[in-house]
Amino acid sequence: VQLQASGGGLVQPGHSLRLACEATGFDSEHYVVGWFRQAPGKKREGVSCISTWQDRTYYADSVSGRAIISRDTVENTVYLQVNNLRPEDTGVYYCGAGPGWAVVRTTCEQVLGVDFWGEGTQVTVSS
């Protein structure tokens, strides 16, 4: 079981970024998969989560209206597109997966019940 995150980088404020979380060894359709970020000196927080099985998504207030989370069935990959990036979006972004029966909002808001974590990808928003 592996989650591989990619797509981070240095971007200017106002620009967009798309992160990818490729799942191998399991079908992400049956899991709650999410993106979590950790800024320097802060706790890891949920950004957005998706459950294809439950047909539910969750967005943190900080990215609501600027982010879109989606899943590609064929590639078994979850994407997070974030538009109009802000300096406060800076951090290491991790993808994680938890059981498919979990409440999507709870998994994301509380960073609860995440069974698998991928390596993080750094996102830096700066001019």
Side-chain angles (χ1 to χ4, degrees):
V1 173
Q2 189 174 6
L3 294 169
Q4 181 66 49
S6 62
L10 172 64
V11 293
Q12 293 183 339
H15 287 208
S16 301
L17 202 64
R18 189 174 81 153
L19 304 177
C21 174
E22 181 182 9
T24 55
F26 71 102
D27 186 350
S28 62
E29 179 180 7
H30 303 294
Y31 287 78
V32 176
V33 180
W35 284 97
F36 305 81
R37 72 182 172 205
Q38 189 161 15
K42 295 190 176 181
K43 294 194 318 181
R44 192 171 298 186
E45 61 178 358
V47 177
S48 181
C49 293
I50 185 169
S51 169
T52 306
W53 180 52
Q54 298 181 42
D55 192 23
R56 291 193 183 277
T57 57
Y58 168 86
Y59 296 95
D61 290 344
S62 59
V63 299
S64 182
R66 299 189 293 124
I68 299 173
I69 191 168
S70 61
R71 181 178 171 274
D72 186 301
T73 302
V74 173
E75 296 182 355
N76 202 20
T77 298
V78 172
Y79 296 97
L80 179 69
Q81 168 96 17
V82 184
N83 303 315
N84 192 21
L85 282 158
R86 305 167 180 170
E88 52 264 39
D89 292 320
T90 294
V92 179
Y93 282 69
Y94 299 89
C95 62
W101 48 259
V103 177
V104 176
R105 185 185 184 99
T106 302
T107 299
C108 242
E109 273 190 338
Q110 301 181 26
V111 194
L112 186 67
V114 178
D115 296 326
F116 312 118
W117 289 102
E119 298 280 335
T121 183
Q122 176 71 45
V123 173
T124 303
V125 184
S126 174
S127 54

